[in-house]
Amino acid sequence: YRFSLLSWEVVTEVVPRNVLQTKPAKDLLTYKDACIDLKEKFRSYLWSLEAAITSKPWEEKLSKEIDNIVKKEIVPEVRRIREQKLAIWEKLFGESLTSISLKAGPPLVGIQLVLGLSFWEILALSTSLVGAATLKPLLDAWQEERKLRRNALFFLIRFQKR
């Protein structure tokens, strides 16, 4: 009973009730089956939170205790995940574009000034410069996002976006 209450409160804190109510049951089950590893990680996380509950199912303070867990554990963690995700996107686009202009810009201008290069040679050299300038920031952002996706609460955050 405690696990069910905790699950419901956590789910509805992360995914608004109106989103849950508008999704067909088939979509919920499809998502659950498609994300089996994340779902299991999420359930393990919930079991660890449920173990911290001291109230008995029939006690009135159970609801308050669950609410405290949600406010102290779930809300800050979800906020952190969302902020990290936003930071990754900002890093991905902001730093990558800056990197392209600062690292590849001057050499691109220099390539165009060199006489004797064909259009295709200039295109090949400029493409390789742009690729080299953006590869590291893109790989770094990709690795950060993969780490973030391993978080147990990402199961719910990802569902909300579907």
Side-chain angles (χ1 to χ4, degrees), residues 118-136:
S118 72
F119 168 76
W120 296 109
E121 290 169 326
I122 292 173
L123 183 62
L125 287 171
S126 62
T127 303
S128 63
L129 282 171
V130 169
T134 58
L135 188 58
K136 181 166 179 9

Side-chain angles (χ1 to χ4, degrees), residues 6 15-16 42 45 55 71 76 112 115 117 127 135 148 157:
L6 177 63
V15 182
F42 173 69
Y45 178 65
S55 303
K71 284 187 172 104
Q112 293 174 7
L115 298 175
L117 291 178
T127 303
L135 188 58
L148 194 60
I157 293 169

Side-chain angles (χ1 to χ4, degrees), residues 35-50:
C35 302
I36 210 88
D37 293 339
L38 265 180
K39 182 190 80 158
E40 289 305 316
K41 190 177 278 196
F42 173 69
R43 288 179 60 79
S44 294
Y45 178 65
L46 286 180
W47 281 115
S48 70
L49 292 175
E50 193 264 349

